[in-house]
Amino acid sequence: MALSKSVEDAQKAVNKFLSGFTSGQKMLTIVGVAAVVIGSFFLMRVTSTPSYAPLFTNLSASDAASITQKLTTANVPYQLANGGSTIMVPQSQVYQERIDMAQAGLPQNSTVGLSLLDKVGITSSQITQQADYQRALQGELATTIEAIQGVTNAQVNLALPPTDVFAISQNQSPSASVLVTLASGVSLSPTQTQAIVHLVASSIPNMSAADVTVVDQNGDVLAAPGFNNTASINSNATTQFDTQLSASLTSMLQNVLGQNHVAVKVAAQLNFNQSTTNSQSIQTTPKGTPVTAPTQSSTTKQTYTGTGTAPGGVLGAITQPVTGGNQNSNYSQTQTSNSYAIGQVNQTVKQAPGQIQRLSVAVLVDSKVKGVSSASIKSLVSAAAGLVAKRGDTISVVKMPFAAQTQALSTASSSSLQLPSLFSLAKTIALALAILVVIFLLLRSSKSEEREDIYVRELDTEPLNLAALNAAPSMAAISMPKHEEFIADEVFDYIDQQPEDVAKLLRIWMSSRSR
């Protein structure tokens, strides 16, 4: 009984709510609800559509057919690209599907690296073996390059000279070309390009890094024979040095001057020339005498004993000795020769590129900060940056009023909030706001009332006959039902809001009653 009564009350409430709408308002409500439902459907469809990533590329027709059949059986959505040679699946399922396909032995005819050599038979010709080996190397290098962040796909082509066991020498050198497909909005830095070049050159025997060409999907040459990107690498290194030193000096000064009260700019001139210095010096003792060591020693000794004239002259003399009469003789001579080696030092010094030639630092301080002198800031920054006056380094400290700034929001890290998640959150919030706005407009339009103007064609201008009114029989008081007290409140509110219209209406009623 209570349930049926509550149902009846609910029906009455719904009927009364609907009776407050005019035909135009009902049509507007239906159109608004339909627009909200259709918009919500399309928005939810767009937000729920997953982003696709390549599962396999460069597939043969048979492998593509087998993989798509298995994906259909597993109820995994997929898309075909590049004429059916590339299969794309939702990004969240890429790795799991690769594992499932590998377990099923797919793909079978595609290049999958050195595993291709497992199918080579012993009866294959040398040309076939060489081609399979080259395809295997290309597949392994492509897989390795795809592991670099920002590279979604890579294709490597090798030009290997034929190996001839009877050739005395090989005049041809191997070369390689790499085509990389980058993610949207991603560009490889010169350092990453050099990494790809050296990665390929180090994997092929006798290949030089100068023989590797790297091109992106837009046709831009990133590295090629004769293509020098050293200037770009040096510029990036200089910019990185300036940025790091500026950030370090700014962080140090902010501890004293506070946030948004100091700005530091660093301009460095770096020398990227590689120089080698060969020097030779003699080792000396602390007293300054050369350090020597004996290497060879020889001694010569001559002795003569007898009477009479000596048979010869002085040792080493060219002239004949003077002879005299008979006399006793006794001759003896000893000669010693020593060879000494002087200590020498041969030193080769190779100077690494990136040496600082000149350093300039500019510090801008907010003039509102008091109690800190420019001299103390200059001394502190000079010591922290390692400025050398003999090298021509300069520093400038200027105090100027800063413009009013609002506190900047801290940048979220890429690991915490990614761009796709922010976009999805924004779409959800926009959907919720649209629904709330439509509901608000519908409720507001439902509460509005249509008022009709009262046109009084003939008004009784005669004064009221109070005696006739007093003589008329009195009318019974009108009592309002208790369960509809809110109607009486609305009537009273209408009287308070439109007193003139109510007075005109009462005059018409009284005039028609008197007639």
Side-chain angles (χ1 to χ4, degrees):
M1 188 70 179
L3 181 61
S4 60
K5 184 176 181 181
S6 57
V7 171
E8 292 178 357
D9 294 340
Q11 291 179 352
K12 291 180 180 179
V14 171
N15 294 332
K16 184 160 186 66
F17 177 76
L18 295 177
S19 63
F21 287 89
T22 63
S23 58
Q25 292 175 348
K26 291 180 180 179
M27 183 60 66
L28 179 62
T29 303
I30 295 174
V31 172
V33 171
V36 170
V37 172
I38 295 175
S40 303
F41 172 76
F42 282 104
L43 189 57
M44 293 299 296
R45 185 175 181 180
V46 171
T47 56
S48 61
T49 301
S51 58
Y52 285 80
L55 179 64
F56 292 109
T57 58
N58 299 326
L59 293 173
S60 62
S62 59
D63 281 340
S66 301
I67 293 175
T68 53
Q69 183 179 2
K70 189 168 182 61
L71 291 175
T72 303
T73 305
N75 294 327
V76 177
Y78 65 89
Q79 294 179 355
L80 298 177
N82 298 329
S85 61
T86 300
I87 298 179
M88 304 178 67
V89 297
Q91 191 171 7
S92 59
Q93 302 181 9
V94 170
Y95 302 109
Q96 183 61 41
E97 290 304 320
R98 285 181 181 174
I99 295 174
D100 296 341
M101 295 303 167
Q103 186 178 5
L106 295 174
Q108 296 179 353
N109 301 323
S110 299
T111 301
V112 290
L114 294 176
S115 60
L116 182 67
L117 301 179
D118 297 339
K119 304 177 183 179
V120 178
I122 59 176
T123 59
S124 300
S125 63
Q126 183 179 1
I127 298 178
T128 303
Q129 293 178 359
Q130 180 69 18
D132 291 340
Y133 176 70
Q134 182 171 339
R135 290 175 57 197
L137 286 179
Q138 292 175 170
E140 288 292 337
L141 289 173
T143 304
T144 306
I145 294 173
E146 289 174 357
I148 299 177
Q149 185 177 5
V151 179
T152 59
N153 189 18
Q155 182 178 354
V156 180
N157 297 320
L158 300 177
L160 303 179
T163 57
D164 191 355
V165 295
F166 299 103
I168 298 176
S169 62
Q170 296 289 345
N171 296 327
Q172 297 180 355
S173 59
S175 59
S177 62
V178 181
L179 176 63
V180 292
T181 302
L182 306 177
S184 179
V186 176
S187 60
L188 291 181
S189 63
T191 305
Q192 291 175 319
T193 303
Q194 288 296 317
I196 295 176
V197 170
H198 290 287
L199 183 66
V200 175
S202 302
S203 303
I204 308 300
N206 302 324
M207 180 178 287
S208 174
D211 296 329
V212 179
T213 302
V214 181
V215 182
D216 61 6
Q217 76 273 19
N218 298 322
D220 298 331
V221 179
L222 305 180
F227 182 82
N228 187 9
N229 61 347
T230 305
S232 179
I233 296 176
N234 296 344
S235 178
N236 291 338
T238 303
T239 303
Q240 185 177 5
F241 176 81
D242 295 344
T243 303
Q244 291 180 353
L245 185 57
S246 300
S248 178
L249 296 176
T250 302
S251 177
M252 178 187 66
L253 294 177
Q254 283 180 350
N255 294 330
V256 179
L257 305 176
Q259 296 286 339
N260 301 325
H261 290 291
V262 63
V264 180
K265 181 67 176 180
V266 176
Q269 295 181 2
L270 305 182
N271 183 11
F272 293 95
N273 298 329
Q274 295 184 359
S275 60
T276 303
T277 303
N278 297 324
S279 61
Q280 185 178 8
S281 61
I282 299 176
Q283 292 181 335
T284 59
T285 60
K287 294 182 179 181
T289 59
V291 177
T292 58
T295 58
Q296 186 178 3
S297 179
S298 61
T299 303
T300 303
K301 184 177 182 181
Q302 294 182 358
T303 303
Y304 172 77
T305 303
T307 59
T309 304
V314 180
L315 182 65
I318 299 177
T319 59
Q320 295 293 330
V322 179
T323 60
N326 296 331
Q327 58 182 359
N328 295 328
S329 300
N330 187 4
Y331 174 78
S332 177
Q333 183 179 3
T334 301
Q335 183 177 3
T336 302
S337 176
N338 295 323
S339 298
Y340 294 91
I342 300 177
Q344 296 181 353
V345 177
N346 297 325
Q347 187 177 11
T348 300
V349 179
K350 187 174 182 179
Q351 186 177 4
Q355 300 294 326
I356 300 176
Q357 283 187 332
R358 190 171 181 272
L359 192 61
S360 300
V361 181
V363 182
L364 182 62
V365 182
D366 191 359
S367 58
K368 298 178 182 179
V369 179
K370 305 298 181 181
V372 180
S373 62
S374 300
S376 59
I377 296 177
K378 183 179 295 185
S379 176
L380 182 63
V381 173
S382 299
L387 302 181
V388 180
K390 296 181 180 180
R391 195 172 54 192
D393 297 347
T394 59
I395 180 174
S396 176
V397 179
V398 179
K399 289 187 175 182
M400 297 180 65
F402 278 25
Q405 298 180 359
T406 57
Q407 187 67 25
L409 297 177
S410 60
T411 305
S413 61
S414 58
S415 58
S416 60
L417 287 178
Q418 300 292 339
L419 184 59
S421 61
L422 290 176
F423 184 66
S424 177
L425 181 61
K427 290 190 292 186
T428 304
I429 294 176
L431 174 62
L433 291 177
I435 295 175
L436 291 176
V437 169
V438 172
I439 293 175
F440 173 75
L441 293 176
L442 293 178
L443 292 177
R444 184 176 180 182
S445 62
S446 65
K447 292 182 179 180
S448 63
E449 298 178 356
E450 292 187 356
R451 298 179 179 176
E452 297 181 356
D453 296 334
I454 299 176
Y455 298 96
V456 182
R457 297 182 178 180
E458 296 180 357
L459 290 178
D460 189 5
T461 58
E462 297 179 0
L464 294 177
N465 191 352
L466 297 179
L469 290 176
N470 292 330
S474 60
M475 298 177 60
I478 301 175
S479 61
M480 302 298 295
K482 294 182 179 180
H483 61 278
E484 295 182 356
E485 294 180 355
F486 64 94
I487 299 178
D489 296 335
E490 293 181 358
V491 172
F492 294 147
D493 293 338
Y494 181 78
I495 294 173
D496 294 335
Q497 295 175 2
Q498 305 291 337
E500 296 179 358
D501 296 341
V502 173
K504 292 179 181 179
L505 183 60
L506 290 177
R507 291 193 186 97
I508 294 173
W509 288 351
M510 294 174 64
S511 176
S512 61
R513 184 178 179 82
S514 61
R515 290 177 183 175

CSV table of all heavy atoms in Angstrom, one decimal, residues 230-273:
chain,number,residue,atom,x,y,z
A,230,THR,N,79.8,18.8,-37.4
A,230,THR,CA,80.6,19.2,-36.3
A,230,THR,C,80.2,20.5,-35.7
A,230,THR,O,80.2,20.7,-34.5
A,230,THR,CB,82.1,19.2,-36.6
A,230,THR,OG1,82.5,17.9,-37.2
A,230,THR,CG2,83.0,19.4,-35.4
A,231,ALA,N,79.9,21.5,-36.6
A,231,ALA,CA,79.5,22.8,-36.1
A,231,ALA,C,78.2,22.7,-35.3
A,231,ALA,O,78.1,23.4,-34.2
A,231,ALA,CB,79.2,23.7,-37.3
A,232,SER,N,77.3,21.9,-35.7
A,232,SER,CA,76.0,21.7,-34.9
A,232,SER,C,76.3,21.1,-33.6
A,232,SER,O,75.7,21.5,-32.5
A,232,SER,CB,75.0,20.9,-35.7
A,232,SER,OG,73.8,20.7,-35.0
A,233,ILE,N,77.2,20.1,-33.5
A,233,ILE,CA,77.6,19.4,-32.3
A,233,ILE,C,78.2,20.4,-31.3
A,233,ILE,O,77.9,20.5,-30.1
A,233,ILE,CB,78.4,18.2,-32.5
A,233,ILE,CG1,77.7,17.1,-33.3
A,233,ILE,CG2,78.9,17.6,-31.2
A,233,ILE,CD1,78.5,16.0,-33.7
A,234,ASN,N,79.2,21.2,-31.9
A,234,ASN,CA,79.9,22.2,-31.1
A,234,ASN,C,78.9,23.3,-30.5
A,234,ASN,O,79.0,23.7,-29.4
A,234,ASN,CB,81.0,22.8,-31.9
A,234,ASN,CG,82.0,21.9,-32.3
A,234,ASN,OD1,82.1,20.8,-31.8
A,234,ASN,ND2,82.8,22.2,-33.3
A,235,SER,N,78.0,23.7,-31.4
A,235,SER,CA,77.0,24.7,-30.9
A,235,SER,C,76.1,24.1,-29.8
A,235,SER,O,75.8,24.8,-28.8
A,235,SER,CB,76.1,25.1,-32.1
A,235,SER,OG,75.1,26.0,-31.7
A,236,ASN,N,75.7,22.9,-29.9
A,236,ASN,CA,74.9,22.3,-28.9
A,236,ASN,C,75.7,22.1,-27.6
A,236,ASN,O,75.2,22.3,-26.5
A,236,ASN,CB,74.4,20.9,-29.3
A,236,ASN,CG,73.3,21.0,-30.4
A,236,ASN,OD1,72.7,22.0,-30.6
A,236,ASN,ND2,73.1,19.9,-31.2
A,237,ALA,N,77.0,21.8,-27.7
A,237,ALA,CA,77.8,21.6,-26.5
A,237,ALA,C,78.0,23.0,-25.8
A,237,ALA,O,77.9,23.1,-24.6
A,237,ALA,CB,79.1,21.0,-26.9
A,238,THR,N,78.2,24.1,-26.6
A,238,THR,CA,78.3,25.4,-26.0
A,238,THR,C,77.0,25.8,-25.3
A,238,THR,O,77.1,26.4,-24.2
A,238,THR,CB,78.7,26.4,-27.1
A,238,THR,OG1,79.9,26.0,-27.8
A,238,THR,CG2,78.9,27.8,-26.5
A,239,THR,N,75.9,25.6,-26.0
A,239,THR,CA,74.6,26.0,-25.4
A,239,THR,C,74.4,25.2,-24.1
A,239,THR,O,73.9,25.8,-23.1
A,239,THR,CB,73.5,25.7,-26.4
A,239,THR,OG1,73.7,26.4,-27.6
A,239,THR,CG2,72.1,26.1,-25.8
A,240,GLN,N,74.7,23.9,-24.1
A,240,GLN,CA,74.5,23.1,-22.9
A,240,GLN,C,75.4,23.6,-21.8
A,240,GLN,O,75.0,23.7,-20.6
A,240,GLN,CB,74.8,21.6,-23.2
A,240,GLN,CG,74.5,20.7,-22.0
A,240,GLN,CD,74.8,19.3,-22.4
A,240,GLN,OE1,75.2,19.0,-23.5
A,240,GLN,NE2,74.5,18.4,-21.5
A,241,PHE,N,76.6,24.0,-22.1
A,241,PHE,CA,77.6,24.5,-21.1
A,241,PHE,C,77.0,25.8,-20.5
A,241,PHE,O,77.0,26.0,-19.3
A,241,PHE,CB,78.9,24.7,-21.7
A,241,PHE,CG,79.9,25.3,-20.7
A,241,PHE,CD1,80.6,24.6,-19.8
A,241,PHE,CD2,80.2,26.7,-20.8
A,241,PHE,CE1,81.5,25.1,-18.9
A,241,PHE,CE2,81.1,27.3,-19.9
A,241,PHE,CZ,81.8,26.5,-19.0
A,242,ASP,N,76.6,26.7,-21.4
A,242,ASP,CA,76.0,28.0,-20.9
A,242,ASP,C,74.8,27.8,-20.0
A,242,ASP,O,74.6,28.4,-18.9
A,242,ASP,CB,75.7,28.9,-22.1
A,242,ASP,CG,76.9,29.3,-22.9
A,242,ASP,OD1,78.0,29.2,-22.3
A,242,ASP,OD2,76.7,29.7,-24.0
A,243,THR,N,73.9,26.9,-20.4
A,243,THR,CA,72.7,26.6,-19.6
A,243,THR,C,73.0,26.1,-18.3
A,243,THR,O,72.4,26.5,-17.3
A,243,THR,CB,71.8,25.7,-20.4
A,243,THR,OG1,71.5,26.3,-21.7
A,243,THR,CG2,70.5,25.5,-19.7
A,244,GLN,N,73.9,25.1,-18.2
A,244,GLN,CA,74.2,24.5,-16.9
A,244,GLN,C,74.9,25.4,-16.0
A,244,GLN,O,74.6,25.5,-14.8
A,244,GLN,CB,75.1,23.2,-17.2
A,244,GLN,CG,74.4,22.1,-17.9
A,244,GLN,CD,75.3,20.9,-18.1
A,244,GLN,OE1,76.5,21.0,-17.8
A,244,GLN,NE2,74.7,19.8,-18.5
A,245,LEU,N,75.8,26.2,-16.5
A,245,LEU,CA,76.5,27.2,-15.6
A,245,LEU,C,75.5,28.3,-15.2
A,245,LEU,O,75.6,28.7,-14.0
A,245,LEU,CB,77.7,27.8,-16.4
A,245,LEU,CG,78.6,28.7,-15.5
A,245,LEU,CD1,79.1,28.0,-14.3
A,245,LEU,CD2,79.8,29.2,-16.4
A,246,SER,N,74.7,28.7,-16.1
A,246,SER,CA,73.7,29.8,-15.7
A,246,SER,C,72.7,29.2,-14.6
A,246,SER,O,72.4,29.9,-13.6
A,246,SER,CB,72.9,30.2,-16.9
A,246,SER,OG,73.7,30.8,-17.9
A,247,ALA,N,72.3,28.0,-14.8
A,247,ALA,CA,71.4,27.4,-13.7
A,247,ALA,C,72.1,27.2,-12.4
A,247,ALA,O,71.5,27.5,-11.3
A,247,ALA,CB,70.9,26.1,-14.2
A,248,SER,N,73.4,26.9,-12.4
A,248,SER,CA,74.1,26.7,-11.2
A,248,SER,C,74.3,28.0,-10.5
A,248,SER,O,74.1,28.1,-9.2
A,248,SER,CB,75.5,26.0,-11.5
A,248,SER,OG,76.2,25.9,-10.3
A,249,LEU,N,74.7,29.1,-11.2
A,249,LEU,CA,74.8,30.4,-10.6
A,249,LEU,C,73.5,31.0,-10.1
A,249,LEU,O,73.5,31.6,-9.0
A,249,LEU,CB,75.5,31.3,-11.6
A,249,LEU,CG,76.9,31.0,-12.0
A,249,LEU,CD1,77.4,31.9,-13.1
A,249,LEU,CD2,77.9,30.9,-10.8
A,250,THR,N,72.4,30.8,-10.9
A,250,THR,CA,71.1,31.3,-10.4
A,250,THR,C,70.7,30.6,-9.2
A,250,THR,O,70.1,31.2,-8.3
A,250,THR,CB,70.1,31.0,-11.6
A,250,THR,OG1,70.6,31.7,-12.8
A,250,THR,CG2,68.8,31.6,-11.2
A,251,SER,N,70.8,29.3,-9.1
A,251,SER,CA,70.4,28.6,-7.9
A,251,SER,C,71.2,29.0,-6.7
A,251,SER,O,70.7,29.2,-5.6
A,251,SER,CB,70.7,27.1,-8.1
A,251,SER,OG,70.4,26.3,-6.9
A,252,MET,N,72.5,29.3,-6.8
A,252,MET,CA,73.3,29.8,-5.7
A,252,MET,C,72.8,31.2,-5.3
A,252,MET,O,72.7,31.5,-4.1
A,252,MET,CB,74.8,29.9,-6.1
A,252,MET,CG,75.7,30.4,-5.0
A,252,MET,SD,77.4,30.6,-5.6
A,252,MET,CE,77.1,31.9,-6.9
A,253,LEU,N,72.6,32.1,-6.2
A,253,LEU,CA,72.2,33.5,-5.8
A,253,LEU,C,70.8,33.5,-5.3
A,253,LEU,O,70.5,34.4,-4.5
A,253,LEU,CB,72.3,34.4,-7.1
A,253,LEU,CG,73.8,34.6,-7.6
A,253,LEU,CD1,73.8,35.5,-8.8
A,253,LEU,CD2,74.6,35.3,-6.5
A,254,GLN,N,69.9,32.6,-5.7
A,254,GLN,CA,68.5,32.6,-5.2
A,254,GLN,C,68.5,32.3,-3.7
A,254,GLN,O,67.5,32.7,-3.1
A,254,GLN,CB,67.7,31.7,-6.0
A,254,GLN,CG,67.3,32.2,-7.4
A,254,GLN,CD,66.4,31.2,-8.2
A,254,GLN,OE1,66.3,30.1,-7.8
A,254,GLN,NE2,65.8,31.7,-9.3
A,255,ASN,N,69.5,31.6,-3.2
A,255,ASN,CA,69.5,31.3,-1.8
A,255,ASN,C,69.7,32.6,-1.0
A,255,ASN,O,69.4,32.6,0.2
A,255,ASN,CB,70.6,30.3,-1.5
A,255,ASN,CG,70.3,28.9,-2.1
A,255,ASN,OD1,69.2,28.6,-2.3
A,255,ASN,ND2,71.4,28.2,-2.5
A,256,VAL,N,70.3,33.6,-1.6
A,256,VAL,CA,70.5,34.8,-0.9
A,256,VAL,C,69.5,35.9,-1.3
A,256,VAL,O,69.0,36.6,-0.4
A,256,VAL,CB,72.0,35.3,-1.2
A,256,VAL,CG1,72.3,36.7,-0.5
A,256,VAL,CG2,73.0,34.3,-0.8
A,257,LEU,N,69.2,36.0,-2.6
A,257,LEU,CA,68.4,37.1,-3.0
A,257,LEU,C,66.9,36.7,-3.1
A,257,LEU,O,66.0,37.6,-3.2
A,257,LEU,CB,68.9,37.6,-4.4
A,257,LEU,CG,70.3,38.0,-4.5
A,257,LEU,CD1,70.7,38.4,-5.9
A,257,LEU,CD2,70.6,39.2,-3.6
A,258,GLY,N,66.6,35.4,-3.1
A,258,GLY,CA,65.2,35.0,-3.2
A,258,GLY,C,64.8,34.7,-4.6
A,258,GLY,O,65.5,35.0,-5.6
A,259,GLN,N,63.6,34.0,-4.7
A,259,GLN,CA,63.1,33.7,-6.0
A,259,GLN,C,62.7,34.9,-6.8
A,259,GLN,O,62.2,35.9,-6.3
A,259,GLN,CB,61.9,32.7,-5.9
A,259,GLN,CG,62.3,31.4,-5.2
A,259,GLN,CD,63.0,30.5,-6.2
A,259,GLN,OE1,62.9,30.6,-7.4
A,259,GLN,NE2,63.7,29.5,-5.6
A,260,ASN,N,62.9,34.8,-8.2
A,260,ASN,CA,62.5,35.9,-9.1
A,260,ASN,C,63.1,37.2,-8.7
A,260,ASN,O,62.5,38.3,-9.0
A,260,ASN,CB,60.9,36.0,-9.1
A,260,ASN,CG,60.3,34.7,-9.5
A,260,ASN,OD1,60.8,34.0,-10.4
A,260,ASN,ND2,59.1,34.4,-8.9
A,261,HIS,N,64.3,37.2,-8.2
A,261,HIS,CA,65.0,38.5,-7.9
A,261,HIS,C,66.4,38.5,-8.5
A,261,HIS,O,67.1,39.5,-8.3
A,261,HIS,CB,65.1,38.7,-6.4
A,261,HIS,CG,63.8,39.0,-5.7
A,261,HIS,ND1,63.1,40.2,-5.9
A,261,HIS,CD2,63.0,38.3,-4.9
A,261,HIS,CE1,62.0,40.1,-5.2
A,261,HIS,NE2,61.9,39.0,-4.6
A,262,VAL,N,66.7,37.6,-9.3
A,262,VAL,CA,68.0,37.5,-10.0
A,262,VAL,C,67.9,36.8,-11.3
A,262,VAL,O,67.1,35.8,-11.4
A,262,VAL,CB,69.1,36.9,-9.0
A,262,VAL,CG1,68.7,35.4,-8.7
A,262,VAL,CG2,70.5,37.0,-9.6
A,263,ALA,N,68.7,37.2,-12.2
A,263,ALA,CA,68.8,36.5,-13.5
A,263,ALA,C,70.3,36.5,-13.9
A,263,ALA,O,71.0,37.5,-13.8
A,263,ALA,CB,68.0,37.2,-14.6
A,264,VAL,N,70.8,35.3,-14.4
A,264,VAL,CA,72.2,35.1,-14.7
A,264,VAL,C,72.3,34.6,-16.2
A,264,VAL,O,71.5,33.7,-16.6
A,264,VAL,CB,72.9,34.1,-13.8
A,264,VAL,CG1,74.3,34.0,-14.2
A,264,VAL,CG2,72.8,34.6,-12.4
A,265,LYS,N,73.1,35.3,-17.0
A,265,LYS,CA,73.4,34.9,-18.3
A,265,LYS,C,74.8,34.6,-18.5
A,265,LYS,O,75.7,35.5,-18.2
A,265,LYS,CB,72.9,36.0,-19.3
A,265,LYS,CG,73.0,35.7,-20.8
A,265,LYS,CD,72.1,34.5,-21.2
A,265,LYS,CE,72.2,34.3,-22.7
A,265,LYS,NZ,71.4,33.2,-23.1
A,266,VAL,N,75.2,33.5,-19.1
A,266,VAL,CA,76.6,33.1,-19.4
A,266,VAL,C,76.8,33.0,-20.8
A,266,VAL,O,76.0,32.3,-21.6
A,266,VAL,CB,76.9,31.8,-18.6
A,266,VAL,CG1,78.3,31.3,-19.0
A,266,VAL,CG2,76.7,31.9,-17.1
A,267,ALA,N,77.9,33.5,-21.3
A,267,ALA,CA,78.3,33.4,-22.8
A,267,ALA,C,79.7,32.9,-22.8
A,267,ALA,O,80.6,33.7,-22.4
A,267,ALA,CB,78.1,34.7,-23.5
A,268,ALA,N,79.9,31.7,-23.2
A,268,ALA,CA,81.3,31.1,-23.2
A,268,ALA,C,81.7,30.9,-24.6
A,268,ALA,O,80.9,30.6,-25.6
A,268,ALA,CB,81.3,29.8,-22.5
A,269,GLN,N,83.0,31.0,-24.8
A,269,GLN,CA,83.7,30.7,-26.1
A,269,GLN,C,84.6,29.5,-25.9
A,269,GLN,O,85.5,29.6,-25.1
A,269,GLN,CB,84.5,31.9,-26.6
A,269,GLN,CG,83.7,33.1,-27.0
A,269,GLN,CD,84.6,34.2,-27.5
A,269,GLN,OE1,85.8,34.1,-27.6
A,269,GLN,NE2,83.9,35.4,-27.8
A,270,LEU,N,84.2,28.4,-26.5
A,270,LEU,CA,84.9,27.1,-26.3
A,270,LEU,C,85.8,26.8,-27.5
A,270,LEU,O,85.4,27.1,-28.6
A,270,LEU,CB,83.9,26.0,-26.0
A,270,LEU,CG,83.0,26.2,-24.8
A,270,LEU,CD1,82.1,25.0,-24.7
A,270,LEU,CD2,83.7,26.5,-23.5
A,271,ASN,N,86.9,26.2,-27.3
A,271,ASN,CA,87.8,25.8,-28.3
A,271,ASN,C,87.7,24.3,-28.6
A,271,ASN,O,88.0,23.5,-27.7
A,271,ASN,CB,89.2,26.2,-28.0
A,271,ASN,CG,90.2,25.9,-29.1
A,271,ASN,OD1,89.8,25.6,-30.2
A,271,ASN,ND2,91.5,26.0,-28.8
A,272,PHE,N,87.2,24.0,-29.7
A,272,PHE,CA,87.0,22.6,-30.1
A,272,PHE,C,88.1,22.0,-31.0
A,272,PHE,O,88.0,20.9,-31.5
A,272,PHE,CB,85.6,22.4,-30.7
A,272,PHE,CG,84.5,22.7,-29.8
A,272,PHE,CD1,83.9,23.9,-29.8
A,272,PHE,CD2,84.0,21.7,-29.0
A,272,PHE,CE1,82.8,24.2,-29.0
A,272,PHE,CE2,82.9,21.9,-28.1
A,272,PHE,CZ,82.3,23.2,-28.2
A,273,ASN,N,89.2,22.7,-31.1
A,273,ASN,CA,90.3,22.2,-31.9
A,273,ASN,C,91.1,21.2,-31.1
A,273,ASN,O,91.4,21.4,-29.9
A,273,ASN,CB,91.2,23.4,-32.3
A,273,ASN,CG,90.5,24.4,-33.2
A,273,ASN,OD1,89.6,24.1,-33.9
A,273,ASN,ND2,91.0,25.7,-33.1
